[in-house]
Amino acid sequence: MPPEPAPTDPLALAPARVHEAEGRGRQAFALLQAARHAGPLIWVLAAHAPHLPMLRGLPDGVGQRLHVIRPGREIDLLWAVEEALRSPAAGLVIAEPSSPLSLTAGRRLQLAAEAGRTTGLMLIRAGQGSNAAETRWQCAPVAGEDRDSTLHRWSLNKNKEGTTGIWTVHWNGATAAVHLVSAAGKRHGAAETPC
Amino acid sequence: MALRRRPVEGPFALILRSGNSDHLHCLTRAAEAQGLHRGMALADARAICPDLATRPADLARETAALMHLRRWIGQYSPMVARDGADGLMADISGVPHLFGGEDEMRADLHTRLERAGLSALSAIAGARGAAHALARHGGGIVPEGGLAEAIGHLPVSALRIDAETAQALARMGLPRIGDILSLPRAPLARRFGPGLVLRLDQALGSQAEPVAPEAEEPHFGVRMTLPEPVGLQDDVMTGVSRLLERLCEKLAHHDRGARRLRLELHRLDRETAQVEIGLARAMRDPERIAALFLKGVEEVEAGFGIEAMRLTAHVTEHLPPEQLGARAALRQEDALADLFSRLGNRLGFDRVLRLAPAQSKIPERSFLLTPAAYSEPEAPPPRTGPDRPILVFPPEPVTAGGIAHPGHPPARFRWRRMAFSTLRATGPERITPEWWLDDPAWRSGLRDYWRIETREGPRLWLFHTPQVPDAARAWFVQGEFA
C-alpha cells in the first residue's frame, strides 16, 4: 500500500519541539534539517567525541551559520542544550548526548523548546531516546544502484501527532532539496508485511 | 622594580640590548661607586666590576611604572606630564605655599619617594628647560631671576639638543651653557640652526613652554559603599544593577563596550569575594549584563555581610552607537550573543566555537575551530574539486580482506568491528603532506583518498598510504559522506 500523498512535507520537523534521530545516517539527517532551518544553528557535541562536521562537506549555507559547542561533561552538555533551546536566537539545536536520555531530561528539553520557540534534534544512539520526544527517526544510508544516487532510508518510527512512515530519499548532501524515490512503495510494503 | 622583586646585595644593573651588544640601562648607587656609568657596554662593566648582578630591562613596564608615578605626583600639582623616557614635569605655579614653600615641598617629595624605595633627582626652576637641565645634573632650586647663573655651569648637552650639536659646540670651545649665553644670537643660529637658540630661550624662560599633560586613560570602574552590610542575594543584585547603570553610562560616554567585568564584594571581615564574567561581544546594556552576574553572586559566601562593592570593566572594546533600524535582525543577534555569554561563562569561551575556513588541502586543517565570541562568521569557499565528507575524524585503520589490485581499495574490509564490502569506489585523490609543517599524523607520506560506497549503505572516505611498505596496514577511514 503506497503512502498517501501528504499535503505537507513529510520530512519537516514540528517547530518548537524536540525530536530524536538514531541510526548510522543521523548526522546526514541532521544536516538536511539544518539546511532547511533558517537562522543560527547550534551543534552541541561532547569534547571527547572523535568526529567533527567538516566545513567543506556541509550543505550550502550551513557552514557559516553553524556553531559548535563542545562541553566537557554530559551534564554540561544537557545544560547547554537546554540553554540553547530556551534562547530564541537559534534556528535549530542539534545535540549528540552519549548516555541515555531520561524522561526527566527529555521533558525538560521539551519545555525549554516550547519556551524559546526553538526546534531541537537529538542524535541518540540506538535505543537511548526518551519517551518525551515528539518524533523519532531511524536513519540509515542505503547503497544506490547507479553511480549518482546517494540514497537514505529515513523511517519515522514514533510520532506523537501524526502518522509514521518510511521514506527512501535521494539527497546529495549539498542542498536543502530531496527527491523522494518513487520505488519506495516496494520497500514500504515489505516493511509492513514482514515474512 | 626588578630589584624590589628580587633584592640583591652589592652592585646591580639593568641591561638593555641595543644593536648587538648589551649596555647598562640603569644601575644602583653601589654600582656607580665602583666606577660604572649609564650607557656603558656590559663587557666593560663586567671587566671593572666582576660581581655585577644584572637583569634585562623591561621598557614597557618601566613606562607603566612612570605613569603610575605620574598619577602619584598629582598630589603636588594638577598638571603633570612625562618628560622624556625617565622624567616627569609638573607645573607647580601657585602650589608651593600649600606645603610651606618650595624647599619644604621638595623635601616632602624626596622623603616620600625615599620611603617608597625610589631614588630621584628633582629641580624647581622658573622655566621648563632649566628645570629639565638641572634635574639631570644634580637638582636644586633656582630662585626667581637666577636662571642664567643656575644653569650656566651645566654642559650644553643638558639643553635637550642633539648629540651632534653638543659635540660641535664642545669642539668650538663652548662646553658649558654659560659660554654660549654671552655670544651673539644671530651667528649661533646661522651656525647651529634655530633649534639651539630655541632650546636656549626655553631654558632661560624667554620662550614660553607650557606643561601639557597627556589625557588620562578613562578608567571603567565604579564603587559603592553601603551604610549597613547586606547579605541577601537580592540586595547584592540591586547594588550590582545600580553599579552597572553608572558603569554603562560611563562606557556609553566613551563609546566603549565591556568585554570582561569583575565584581569585587568586600565583606565585613575584610575578605574579598570576586565574581568575573565574560561577554560574547562588547555591550553596555545593564539589564543583560546583570543577568550574567546572577549565577556568580549566588555562589558567593556573604559571611557577616557585604559592606562595599566595586565593579570594573577591565577589558573593553570600541563600540560606536548603533542605529536601531533593523529590529528583528538586531534582536536575534542580541539573543545569540546573550546565549553565547551564558554558555561561555559556564563552559569556557574556548568551548563555544565556530567553523572557519583555512587555507590548507590537509583535511584536518582545512577548517579551524575558532571561539565564536572572538570571530566573525565567514562563508566557506565554493565547492570545487572532489567531494568532501560531512564528518571527519582522526584516521582509523581498517583490516582489508579480499583480493585487490595494488593501490586499489579492498573488496572487503572491517572497520569498527563491522564488515563492509565495496560496491563502488571513486578516486583516487592524492593529497601530499605539507612539508613545511612537521605533522606526526602525516609522517607516513602522501595519501590517496577514495570515496567508497559500501553495499551495507555507509559511504566512507578511505585513504591509502602508498609509501608505507606494509600493504596490509595501509588503509584508513577518515570520514563519512552524506
Side-chain angles (χ1 to χ4, degrees), chain B residues 169-243:
Chain B
L169 281 167
R171 209 173 292 142
M172 292 177 74
L174 304 167
R176 311 217 161 262
I177 296 176
D179 301 335
I180 50 174
L181 279 181
S182 51
L183 292 179
R185 291 302 179 85
L188 260 187
R190 204 160 55 232
R191 176 71 181 78
F192 296 104
L196 172 66
V197 180
L198 175 73
R199 289 304 189 197
L200 201 58
D201 283 343
Q202 284 174 343
L204 293 175
S206 45
Q207 178 83 33
E209 190 186 5
V211 173
E214 300 93 337
E216 289 266 348
E217 284 272 305
H219 174 67
F220 299 109
V222 286
R223 68 175 91 194
M224 175 190 268
T225 319
L226 305 169
E228 284 280 316
V230 297
L232 291 178
Q233 190 190 320
D234 283 354
D235 299 345
V236 177
M237 285 312 293
T238 312
V240 169
S241 46
R242 278 196 207 168
L243 285 176

Coordinates of all heavy atoms in Angstrom, one line a residue, chain B residues 169-243:
Chain B
L169 N 79.6 72.1 19.5 CA 79.8 73.2 20.4 C 81.1 73.0 21.3 O 81.9 73.9 21.5 CB 78.6 73.4 21.3 CG 77.4 74.1 20.7 CD1 76.2 74.0 21.5 CD2 77.8 75.6 20.5
A170 N 81.2 71.7 21.7 CA 82.3 71.4 22.6 C 83.6 71.5 21.8 O 84.7 72.0 22.3 CB 82.2 70.0 23.1
R171 N 83.6 71.1 20.5 CA 84.8 71.3 19.7 C 85.2 72.7 19.4 O 86.3 73.0 19.2 CB 84.5 70.5 18.3 CG 85.8 70.0 17.7 CD 85.4 69.2 16.5 NE 84.7 67.9 16.8 CZ 83.7 67.4 16.1 NH1 83.4 68.1 15.0 NH2 83.2 66.3 16.4
M172 N 84.2 73.6 19.5 CA 84.5 75.0 19.3 C 84.9 75.7 20.6 O 85.1 76.9 20.6 CB 83.3 75.7 18.7 CG 83.0 75.3 17.3 SD 81.5 76.1 16.7 CE 82.2 77.7 16.5
G173 N 85.0 74.9 21.7 CA 85.5 75.5 22.9 C 84.3 76.1 23.7 O 84.5 77.0 24.5
L174 N 83.1 75.6 23.5 CA 81.9 76.2 24.2 C 81.3 75.0 24.9 O 80.2 74.6 24.6 CB 81.0 76.8 23.2 CG 81.5 77.9 22.3 CD1 80.5 78.2 21.3 CD2 81.8 79.1 23.2
P175 N 81.9 74.4 25.9 CA 81.3 73.2 26.5 C 80.2 73.5 27.5 O 79.4 72.6 27.8 CB 82.5 72.5 27.2 CG 83.4 73.6 27.5 CD 83.2 74.7 26.5
R176 N 80.1 74.7 28.0 CA 79.1 75.0 29.1 C 78.1 75.9 28.6 O 78.3 76.7 27.6 CB 79.8 75.6 30.3 CG 81.0 74.7 30.7 CD 81.2 74.6 32.2 NE 82.1 73.5 32.5 CZ 81.6 72.3 32.8 NH1 80.3 72.1 33.0 NH2 82.4 71.3 33.0
I177 N 76.9 75.9 29.2 CA 75.8 76.8 28.8 C 76.2 78.2 29.0 O 75.9 79.1 28.1 CB 74.5 76.4 29.6 CG1 74.1 75.0 29.3 CG2 73.4 77.4 29.3 CD1 72.9 74.5 30.0
G178 N 77.0 78.5 30.0 CA 77.4 79.8 30.3 C 78.2 80.4 29.2 O 78.2 81.6 28.9
D179 N 78.9 79.6 28.5 CA 79.8 80.0 27.4 C 79.0 80.6 26.2 O 79.4 81.5 25.5 CB 80.7 78.9 26.8 CG 81.6 78.3 27.9 OD1 81.8 79.1 28.9 OD2 81.9 77.2 27.8
I180 N 77.8 80.0 25.9 CA 77.1 80.4 24.8 C 76.0 81.5 25.1 O 75.5 82.2 24.3 CB 76.4 79.3 24.0 CG1 75.6 78.4 25.0 CG2 77.4 78.4 23.3 CD1 74.8 77.4 24.3
L181 N 75.8 81.7 26.5 CA 74.8 82.7 26.9 C 75.3 84.1 26.4 O 74.5 85.0 26.0 CB 74.7 82.7 28.4 CG 73.7 81.6 28.9 CD1 73.6 81.8 30.4 CD2 72.4 81.7 28.3
S182 N 76.6 84.3 26.5 CA 77.1 85.7 26.2 C 77.3 85.9 24.7 O 77.6 87.1 24.3 CB 78.4 85.9 26.9 OG 79.3 84.8 26.6
L183 N 77.2 84.9 23.9 CA 77.5 85.0 22.4 C 76.4 85.7 21.7 O 75.2 85.6 22.2 CB 77.8 83.7 21.8 CG 79.0 82.9 22.3 CD1 79.2 81.6 21.6 CD2 80.3 83.8 22.0
P184 N 76.6 86.4 20.6 CA 75.5 87.0 19.8 C 74.7 85.9 19.2 O 75.2 84.8 18.8 CB 76.3 87.8 18.8 CG 77.7 87.3 18.8 CD 78.0 86.8 20.1
R185 N 73.4 86.1 19.2 CA 72.4 85.1 18.8 C 72.5 84.8 17.3 O 72.4 83.6 16.9 CB 71.0 85.6 19.1 CG 70.7 85.6 20.5 CD 70.9 84.2 21.1 NE 70.6 84.2 22.5 CZ 69.4 84.1 23.1 NH1 68.4 83.9 22.3 NH2 69.2 84.0 24.3
A186 N 72.6 85.8 16.5 CA 72.5 85.6 15.0 C 73.5 84.6 14.5 O 73.2 83.6 13.8 CB 72.5 86.9 14.3
P187 N 74.8 84.8 14.8 CA 75.8 83.8 14.3 C 75.5 82.4 14.9 O 75.7 81.4 14.1 CB 77.1 84.3 14.8 CG 76.9 85.7 15.2 CD 75.5 85.9 15.5
L188 N 75.1 82.3 16.1 CA 74.8 81.0 16.7 C 73.7 80.3 15.9 O 73.8 79.1 15.5 CB 74.3 81.2 18.1 CG 75.3 80.9 19.3 CD1 74.5 81.0 20.6 CD2 76.0 79.6 19.1
A189 N 72.6 81.0 15.6 CA 71.5 80.4 14.8 C 72.0 80.0 13.4 O 71.5 79.0 12.9 CB 70.3 81.4 14.8
R190 N 72.8 80.9 12.8 CA 73.3 80.6 11.5 C 74.1 79.3 11.5 O 74.1 78.5 10.6 CB 74.1 81.8 10.9 CG 74.0 81.8 9.4 CD 74.4 83.2 8.9 NE 75.6 83.7 9.4 CZ 75.8 84.9 10.0 NH1 74.7 85.7 10.1 NH2 76.9 85.3 10.4
R191 N 75.0 79.2 12.5 CA 75.9 78.1 12.5 C 75.2 76.8 13.0 O 75.5 75.7 12.4 CB 77.0 78.5 13.5 CG 78.1 77.4 13.7 CD 78.9 77.2 12.5 NE 79.9 76.1 12.7 CZ 79.6 74.8 12.6 NH1 78.4 74.4 12.4 NH2 80.6 73.9 12.8
F192 N 74.4 76.8 14.0 CA 73.8 75.6 14.5 C 72.3 75.4 14.3 O 71.7 74.5 14.8 CB 74.1 75.5 16.0 CG 75.6 75.5 16.4 CD1 76.2 76.6 16.8 CD2 76.3 74.3 16.2 CE1 77.6 76.6 17.1 CE2 77.6 74.3 16.4 CZ 78.3 75.4 16.9
G193 N 71.7 76.3 13.5 CA 70.3 76.2 13.3 C 69.4 76.8 14.4 O 70.0 77.1 15.5
P194 N 68.2 77.0 14.1 CA 67.3 77.7 15.1 C 67.0 76.8 16.3 O 66.6 77.3 17.4 CB 66.0 77.9 14.3 CG 66.0 76.9 13.2 CD 67.5 76.7 12.9
G195 N 67.2 75.5 16.2 CA 66.9 74.6 17.4 C 67.7 75.0 18.6 O 67.1 75.0 19.7
L196 N 69.0 75.3 18.5 CA 69.8 75.6 19.7 C 69.3 76.9 20.3 O 69.1 76.9 21.6 CB 71.2 75.7 19.2 CG 72.2 76.2 20.3 CD1 72.3 75.2 21.4 CD2 73.6 76.6 19.7
V197 N 69.0 77.9 19.5 CA 68.5 79.1 20.1 C 67.2 79.0 20.8 O 67.0 79.5 21.9 CB 68.5 80.2 19.0 CG1 68.0 81.5 19.6 CG2 69.8 80.3 18.3
L198 N 66.3 78.2 20.2 CA 65.0 77.9 20.8 C 65.2 77.2 22.1 O 64.6 77.6 23.1 CB 64.2 77.0 19.9 CG 62.9 76.6 20.4 CD1 61.9 77.7 20.4 CD2 62.3 75.4 19.6
R199 N 66.0 76.2 22.2 CA 66.3 75.5 23.5 C 66.9 76.4 24.5 O 66.5 76.3 25.7 CB 67.2 74.3 23.2 CG 66.6 73.2 22.5 CD 65.3 72.7 23.1 NE 64.8 71.5 22.6 CZ 63.5 71.0 22.8 NH1 62.7 71.7 23.5 NH2 63.1 69.9 22.2
L200 N 67.7 77.3 24.1 CA 68.4 78.3 25.0 C 67.3 79.2 25.6 O 67.3 79.5 26.8 CB 69.5 79.0 24.2 CG 70.5 79.7 25.1 CD1 71.3 78.7 25.9 CD2 71.5 80.4 24.2
D201 N 66.4 79.7 24.7 CA 65.4 80.6 25.1 C 64.4 79.9 26.1 O 64.0 80.5 27.1 CB 64.6 81.1 23.9 CG 65.3 82.2 23.2 OD1 66.3 82.7 23.8 OD2 65.0 82.5 22.0
Q202 N 64.2 78.6 25.8 CA 63.3 77.8 26.7 C 63.9 77.6 28.0 O 63.2 77.6 29.1 CB 62.9 76.5 26.0 CG 61.9 76.7 24.9 CD 61.6 75.4 24.2 OE1 62.4 74.4 24.3 NE2 60.6 75.3 23.4
A203 N 65.2 77.4 28.1 CA 65.9 77.2 29.3 C 65.9 78.5 30.2 O 65.9 78.5 31.4 CB 67.3 76.7 29.1
L204 N 65.9 79.7 29.4 CA 66.0 80.9 30.2 C 64.6 81.5 30.4 O 64.5 82.6 31.1 CB 66.8 81.9 29.3 CG 68.3 81.6 29.2 CD1 69.0 82.5 28.3 CD2 69.0 81.6 30.6
G205 N 63.6 80.9 29.9 CA 62.3 81.3 30.2 C 61.8 82.4 29.3 O 60.7 82.9 29.5
S206 N 62.6 82.8 28.3 CA 62.1 83.9 27.4 C 61.2 83.3 26.3 O 60.5 84.1 25.6 CB 63.3 84.7 26.8 OG 64.2 83.7 26.3
Q207 N 61.2 82.0 26.2 CA 60.2 81.4 25.2 C 59.3 80.5 26.1 O 59.8 79.6 26.8 CB 61.0 80.5 24.2 CG 60.2 79.7 23.2 CD 59.8 80.6 22.1 OE1 60.5 81.5 21.6 NE2 58.6 80.4 21.5
A208 N 58.0 80.8 26.0 CA 57.1 80.0 26.8 C 57.0 78.6 26.4 O 57.0 78.3 25.2 CB 55.7 80.7 26.7
E209 N 56.9 77.7 27.4 CA 56.8 76.3 27.1 C 55.9 75.6 28.1 O 56.3 75.3 29.2 CB 58.1 75.6 27.1 CG 58.1 74.2 26.5 CD 59.4 73.5 26.7 OE1 60.4 74.0 27.3 OE2 59.5 72.4 26.2
P210 N 54.6 75.5 27.8 CA 53.7 75.0 28.9 C 53.8 73.5 29.1 O 54.3 72.8 28.2 CB 52.3 75.3 28.3 CG 52.5 75.4 26.8 CD 53.9 75.8 26.6
V211 N 53.4 73.1 30.3 CA 53.4 71.7 30.6 C 52.0 71.1 30.1 O 51.0 71.6 30.5 CB 53.5 71.4 32.1 CG1 53.3 70.0 32.4 CG2 54.8 71.9 32.6
A212 N 52.1 70.2 29.2 CA 50.9 69.6 28.6 C 50.7 68.2 29.0 O 51.3 67.3 28.4 CB 50.9 69.8 27.1
P213 N 49.9 67.9 30.0 CA 49.8 66.5 30.5 C 49.0 65.7 29.4 O 48.0 66.3 28.9 CB 49.1 66.6 31.8 CG 48.4 67.9 31.8 CD 49.1 68.8 30.9
E214 N 49.3 64.5 29.2 CA 48.5 63.6 28.4 C 47.2 63.3 29.0 O 47.1 63.3 30.2 CB 49.2 62.2 28.2 CG 50.6 62.3 27.6 CD 51.7 62.4 28.6 OE1 51.4 62.8 29.8 OE2 52.8 62.0 28.3
A215 N 46.2 63.1 28.1 CA 44.9 62.8 28.7 C 45.0 61.4 29.4 O 45.6 60.5 29.0 CB 43.9 62.7 27.5
E216 N 44.3 61.4 30.5 CA 44.2 60.1 31.3 C 43.4 59.1 30.5 O 42.4 59.4 29.9 CB 43.5 60.4 32.7 CG 44.3 61.2 33.6 CD 45.1 60.3 34.5 OE1 44.9 59.1 34.6 OE2 46.0 60.9 35.2
E217 N 43.8 57.8 30.6 CA 43.0 56.8 30.0 C 41.8 56.7 30.9 O 41.9 56.7 32.1 CB 43.8 55.4 30.2 CG 44.9 55.3 29.2 CD 44.4 54.6 27.9 OE1 43.8 53.6 28.0 OE2 44.6 55.2 26.8
P218 N 40.6 56.6 30.2 CA 39.4 56.5 31.1 C 39.4 55.2 31.9 O 39.8 54.2 31.3 CB 38.3 56.5 30.1 CG 38.9 56.2 28.8 CD 40.3 56.6 28.8
H219 N 39.0 55.3 33.1 CA 39.0 54.1 34.0 C 37.6 53.7 34.2 O 36.7 54.5 34.6 CB 39.7 54.4 35.3 CG 39.6 53.3 36.3 ND1 40.3 52.2 36.1 CD2 38.9 53.2 37.4 CE1 40.0 51.4 37.1 NE2 39.2 52.0 37.9
F220 N 37.3 52.4 33.7 CA 35.9 52.0 33.8 C 35.7 51.2 35.1 O 35.7 50.0 35.1 CB 35.5 51.2 32.6 CG 35.6 52.0 31.3 CD1 36.6 51.7 30.4 CD2 34.7 53.0 31.1 CE1 36.7 52.5 29.3 CE2 34.8 53.7 29.9 CZ 35.8 53.5 29.0
G221 N 35.6 51.9 36.2 CA 35.3 51.2 37.5 C 34.4 52.1 38.3 O 34.5 53.3 38.3
V222 N 33.5 51.5 39.0 CA 32.6 52.2 39.9 C 32.6 51.5 41.2 O 32.8 50.3 41.3 CB 31.2 52.4 39.4 CG1 31.2 53.4 38.3 CG2 30.7 51.1 38.9
R223 N 32.3 52.2 42.3 CA 32.2 51.5 43.6 C 31.1 52.0 44.4 O 30.5 53.1 44.1 CB 33.5 51.6 44.4 CG 33.8 53.0 44.8 CD 35.1 53.0 45.6 NE 36.3 53.3 44.8 CZ 37.5 53.1 45.3 NH1 37.7 52.6 46.5 NH2 38.5 53.3 44.5
M224 N 30.7 51.3 45.4 CA 29.6 51.7 46.2 C 29.9 51.2 47.6 O 30.3 50.0 47.8 CB 28.3 51.0 45.6 CG 27.1 51.2 46.5 SD 25.8 50.1 45.9 CE 25.0 51.2 44.7
T225 N 29.7 52.1 48.6 CA 29.9 51.7 50.0 C 28.5 51.7 50.6 O 27.7 52.6 50.4 CB 30.8 52.7 50.7 OG1 31.8 53.0 49.9 CG2 31.3 52.1 52.0
L226 N 28.2 50.6 51.3 CA 26.8 50.5 51.9 C 26.8 51.0 53.3 O 27.8 50.7 54.1 CB 26.4 49.1 51.8 CG 26.4 48.5 50.4 CD1 26.2 47.0 50.4 CD2 25.4 49.1 49.5
P227 N 25.8 51.7 53.7 CA 25.7 52.1 55.1 C 25.6 51.0 56.1 O 26.1 51.0 57.2 CB 24.5 53.0 55.2 CG 23.7 52.7 54.0 CD 24.7 52.2 52.9
E228 N 24.9 49.9 55.7 CA 24.7 48.7 56.5 C 25.1 47.5 55.7 O 24.8 47.5 54.5 CB 23.2 48.5 56.9 CG 22.7 49.5 58.0 CD 23.1 49.0 59.3 OE1 23.0 47.8 59.6 OE2 23.6 49.9 60.1
P229 N 25.8 46.5 56.3 CA 26.2 45.4 55.5 C 25.0 44.6 55.0 O 24.0 44.5 55.8 CB 27.1 44.5 56.5 CG 26.8 45.1 57.8 CD 26.4 46.5 57.7
V230 N 25.0 44.0 53.8 CA 23.9 43.3 53.3 C 24.4 41.8 53.1 O 25.6 41.5 53.0 CB 23.4 43.8 51.9 CG1 22.9 45.2 52.1 CG2 24.5 43.7 50.9
G231 N 23.4 40.9 53.2 CA 23.7 39.5 53.0 C 22.8 38.8 52.0 O 23.1 37.7 51.6
L232 N 21.7 39.4 51.7 CA 20.7 38.7 50.8 C 21.2 38.9 49.4 O 21.7 39.9 49.0 CB 19.4 39.3 51.0 CG 18.7 39.0 52.4 CD1 17.3 39.7 52.4 CD2 18.6 37.5 52.6
Q233 N 20.9 37.9 48.6 CA 21.3 37.9 47.2 C 20.6 39.0 46.4 O 21.2 39.6 45.6 CB 20.9 36.5 46.6 CG 21.5 36.2 45.3 CD 20.9 35.0 44.7 OE1 20.7 34.0 45.4 NE2 20.5 35.0 43.4
D234 N 19.3 39.2 46.7 CA 18.5 40.2 46.0 C 19.1 41.6 46.3 O 19.2 42.4 45.4 CB 17.1 40.2 46.5 CG 16.3 39.1 45.9 OD1 16.9 38.4 45.0 OD2 15.1 38.9 46.3
D235 N 19.6 41.8 47.5 CA 20.2 43.1 47.9 C 21.4 43.4 47.1 O 21.7 44.4 46.5 CB 20.5 43.2 49.4 CG 19.2 43.1 50.2 OD1 18.1 43.2 49.5 OD2 19.3 42.9 51.4
V236 N 22.2 42.3 47.0 CA 23.5 42.4 46.2 C 23.2 42.7 44.8 O 23.8 43.5 44.2 CB 24.3 41.1 46.4 CG1 25.6 41.2 45.6 CG2 24.7 40.9 47.9
M237 N 22.2 42.0 44.2 CA 21.9 42.2 42.8 C 21.4 43.6 42.6 O 21.6 44.2 41.5 CB 20.9 41.1 42.4 CG 21.4 39.7 42.2 SD 23.0 39.7 41.2 CE 22.4 40.2 39.6
T238 N 20.6 44.1 43.5 CA 20.1 45.5 43.4 C 21.3 46.4 43.3 O 21.4 47.4 42.5 CB 19.2 45.9 44.6 OG1 18.3 44.9 44.7 CG2 18.5 47.2 44.3
G239 N 22.3 46.2 44.2 CA 23.5 47.0 44.2 C 24.3 46.9 42.9 O 24.7 47.9 42.3
V240 N 24.3 45.6 42.4 CA 25.0 45.4 41.1 C 24.4 46.2 40.0 O 25.0 46.8 39.2 CB 25.1 43.9 40.8 CG1 25.6 43.6 39.4 CG2 26.0 43.2 41.8
S241 N 23.0 46.1 40.0 CA 22.4 46.8 38.8 C 22.5 48.3 38.9 O 22.6 49.0 37.9 CB 20.9 46.4 38.7 OG 20.3 46.4 40.0
R242 N 22.6 48.8 40.2 CA 22.9 50.3 40.3 C 24.3 50.6 39.8 O 24.5 51.6 39.1 CB 22.8 50.7 41.8 CG 21.3 50.9 42.1 CD 21.2 51.7 43.4 NE 20.0 51.4 44.1 CZ 19.8 51.8 45.4 NH1 20.7 52.4 46.0 NH2 18.6 51.5 45.9
L243 N 25.2 49.8 40.2 CA 26.6 50.0 39.7 C 26.7 49.9 38.2 O 27.4 50.7 37.6 CB 27.6 49.0 40.4 CG 27.9 49.2 41.8 CD1 28.8 48.0 42.3 CD2 28.7 50.5 42.0

